Amino acid sequence: MIFYSLPEVLFLLAGAIVLDWLIGDPRWLPHPVIFIGKWIGYWERRLLPRTTKRRNGILLTLIITSSSLALVWILTAAASWVHPWFGYAVHLWLISTTIAIKGLKDAAMLVYDRLSRGELTEARKYTGYIVGRDTDELDEAELSRATVETVAENTVDAVISPLFFAFLGAAPLAMLYRAVNTLDSMVGYRNDKYIHFGWASARLDDVLNWLPARLTGLMLIIVSAIYRPASAIQAWRSVIAFAHLHPSPNSGIPEAAVAGSLGIQLGGLNRYGGAISERARLGWAARKIEKVDIIHTIRLLYGVSYLVMGGLLCAACGWLL
């Protein structure tokens, strides 16, 4: 791996955040996650039909993570060999592709804009792009809840976790995390098809997100204290009271923090492929969920990214001074 000094890593992370703020993931630029998804699909078609589901799922996880790590290591090493600044640029771009602050905001705003125009059918369509549940019959409040939950949960998956692993190992480790997260999103389901085959991917994703999820919960509480001091106490109480009720060991923390901060209740009845699922209810229903809560959650998302940026720049400047 190409080793950088601490100030270099900090400035790389700050630069990646700025790049994501500005351009996000433009469609004209090839995205590594697309290639990871195709690579997962290639091996899934070959391994899933076999009878030893769990063993082959472990093999799938090993193949995808090791190849993603090795390829990015080779790419960044070659770029740094050509010229150090070229190495910086490749690291910067690759790290920025593992985070999705602007992408999350844009996807959530597509739902909000359609709800604001009263275009419920279109809002259901765009919500369906970002959640796994059935959206065909959801009303405005349920569409808003689904979007808020997605933005809250992905503040971990698409922001803090990849930055955390980029801090530990620059682009190679950030891409390894993104490969694991993509595996989980493709095969980490608890249904008849994937419950054994996706076991390793889902468990590894839980392990990698464990610390970043708790850091995210703390950051959401701090951001809530900056925006509305009283809401920070509710966010903290909500995490303590409800986060452990979520079926995921990690997702309940950011969702409970956002629910407490906004004074709403997340969770409830969801429908997946026609089957009804009761999700743990997080937070206190001080009021009904409204479409404006999407805006509030985006504000918390960006607040977390500003907090991280401030910490990176202060740490870098302090080290240099």
Side-chain angles (χ1 to χ4, degrees), residues 47-59 196-197:
L47 295 173
L48 181 59
R50 301 181 183 181
T51 55
T52 52
K53 301 292 186 184
R54 180 164 294 194
R55 187 182 70 184
N56 287 322
I58 294 172
L59 179 60
H196 297 296
F197 186 71

Side-chain angles (χ1 to χ4, degrees), residues 15-29 31 92-93 96-97 99-103 105-106 302:
I17 293 173
V18 171
L19 190 60
D20 184 73
W21 281 344
L22 294 176
I23 67 171
D25 298 316
R27 294 184 179 181
W28 55 266
L29 195 62
H31 200 289
L92 185 67
W93 173 65
S96 74
T97 66
I99 60 179
I101 303 165
K102 185 177 186 297
K105 181 207 65 174
D106 291 345
Y302 268 79

Side-chain angles (χ1 to χ4, degrees), residues 66-289:
S66 60
S67 58
S68 298
L69 178 67
L71 182 59
V72 174
W73 186 93
I74 293 169
L75 184 61
T76 52
S80 298
W81 179 80
V82 171
H83 194 281
W85 283 103
F86 186 45
Y88 289 144
V90 172
H91 270 284
L92 185 67
W93 173 65
L94 287 172
I95 293 170
S96 74
T97 66
T98 66
I99 60 179
I101 303 165
K102 185 177 186 297
L104 268 177
K105 181 207 65 174
D106 291 345
M109 286 303 298
L110 285 172
V111 179
Y112 174 80
D113 288 342
R114 270 58 185 185
L115 289 176
S116 297
R117 299 174 193 170
E119 300 172 359
L120 203 57
T121 301
E122 286 293 294
R124 288 167 176 162
K125 180 181 76 172
Y126 285 113
T127 305
Y129 291 161
I130 59 175
V131 300
R133 72 196 67 172
D134 301 340
T135 61
D136 293 345
E137 299 179 3
L138 298 186
D139 59 16
E140 179 177 309
E142 285 298 300
L143 291 169
S144 298
R145 174 171 73 88
T147 306
V148 166
E149 289 172 351
T150 295
V151 174
E153 178 181 356
N154 280 285
T155 304
V156 179
D157 297 356
V159 185
I160 301 304
S161 283
L163 288 173
F164 176 80
F165 287 98
F167 174 77
L168 296 179
L173 276 190
M175 198 60 67
L176 181 145
Y177 168 77
R178 182 50 62 207
V180 172
N181 191 247
T182 307
L183 273 167
D184 181 57
S185 68
M186 291 181 67
V187 303
Y189 298 103
R190 295 182 180 180
N191 55 28
D192 292 340
K193 182 178 181 180
Y194 290 120
I195 189 166
H196 297 296
F197 186 71
W199 174 85
S201 299
R203 297 294 75 75
L204 183 56
D205 185 72
D206 288 342
V207 170
L208 295 187
N209 279 315
W210 193 89
L211 181 56
R214 283 142 185 85
L215 291 173
T216 303
L218 178 60
M219 291 180 193
L220 285 167
I221 292 168
I222 293 172
V223 171
S224 297
I226 295 171
Y227 287 155
R228 294 180 299 170
S231 68
I233 298 173
Q234 288 297 95
W236 171 260
R237 291 180 58 213
S238 181
V239 170
I240 297 299
F242 300 108
H244 67 282
L245 300 176
H246 198 283
S248 164
N250 302 313
S251 299
I253 295 173
E255 289 187 28
V258 168
S261 177
L262 301 185
I264 58 177
Q265 186 177 77
L266 299 177
L269 290 176
N270 296 334
R271 191 182 298 270
Y272 299 92
I276 295 177
S277 173
E278 172 70 30
R279 299 297 293 270
R281 298 176 188 269
L282 311 176
W284 300 274
R287 59 178 180 82
K288 293 183 178 179
I289 300 176

